[in-house]
């Protein structure tokens, strides 16, 4: 079954404690993307990756890092989380041409 | 980056009625897609309409596209409680790189039983 998985689904952490949200897809897509969703602000793109070792900033990259060492995985790294990064995060894998985006189930992050 | 702007922001109708939401965008596109998001879940792709198409159907969904007005509409006929969700449009231009793979704030649709 084609899917995008994210882990963890829920996370409560404290300011400054490094964390990683993993994202994995089994569709052999080259393009993957991270979004955050906040009330009243909609979905905003954080980072995207066009292929292995190719990443670029989206609209709100500050405070985040990503890596793309292999095609199926695209982890999102918060090196020093702050409360303003409390949000709902989605990973997406993109089928091109199209494009059609396949979203993960979301990770609800709370930074205290 | 190009985003679609959905309108209205929120819509509440009775079950069985039709729901119409609109999307406007700014630059030329190759296609436009609509997605649905149930509360707290990932977006799900509903339908894609190409720039040379004017109307497309999928089940109870009807999408129109007017490239001269840079607008699209999504009609859900005979609405059901399960249609309660947020709906997003995604206008796409292949020359825009990551552009067109972003989303606006969506239309929040509530179907009243």
């Amino acid at each position: 079954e084609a899917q995008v998985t994210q882990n963890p689904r829920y996370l409560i952490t404290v300011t400054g404690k490094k964390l990683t949200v993993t994202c994995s897809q089994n569709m052999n897509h080259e393009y993957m993307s991270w979004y955050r969703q906040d009330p009243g602000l909609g979905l905003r793109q954080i980072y995207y990756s066009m292929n292995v070792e190719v990443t670029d900033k989206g609209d709100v990259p500050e405070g985040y890092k990503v890596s793309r060492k292999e095609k199926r995985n695209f982890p999102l790294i918060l090196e020093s989380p702050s409360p303003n990064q409390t949000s709902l995060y989605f990973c997406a894998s993109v089928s091109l041409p199209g494009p059609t985006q396949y979203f993960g189930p979301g990770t609800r992050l709370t930074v205290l | 980056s190009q985003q679609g702007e959905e309108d209205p922001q929120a819509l509440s109708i009775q079950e069985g009625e039709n729901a119409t939401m609109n999307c406007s965008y700014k630059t030329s596109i190759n296609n436009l897609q609509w997605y649905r998001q149930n509360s707290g879940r990932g977006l799900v792709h509903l339908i894609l309409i190409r720039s040379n198409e004017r109307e497309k159907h999928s089940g109870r969904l009807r999408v129109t596209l007017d490239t001269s007005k840079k607008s699209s509409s999504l009609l859900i006929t005979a609405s059901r409680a399960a249609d309660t969700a947020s709906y997003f449009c995604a206008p796409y231009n292949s020359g825009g790189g990551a552009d067109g793979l972003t989303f606006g704030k969506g239309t929040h649709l509530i179907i009243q039983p």
Side-chain angles (χ1 to χ4, degrees), chain B residues 5-11 20-24 34 72 87 106-107:
Chain B
E5 256 190 59
E6 297 89 356
D7 177 72
Q9 287 188 18
L11 178 62
T20 300
M21 53 207 88
N22 303 297
C23 169
S24 59
W34 284 91
S72 174
Y87 292 82
T107 291

Side-chain angles (χ1 to χ4, degrees), chain A residues 35 37 40 43 90 98-99 101, chain B residues 31 33 35 37 41 92 101:
Chain A
Y35 298 89
Q37 187 173 33
L43 274 155
F90 290 101
Q101 299 200 56
Chain B
N31 63 57
Q33 301 175 60
Y35 288 79
Q37 182 184 30
R41 302 196 173 217
Y92 178 67
L101 294 176

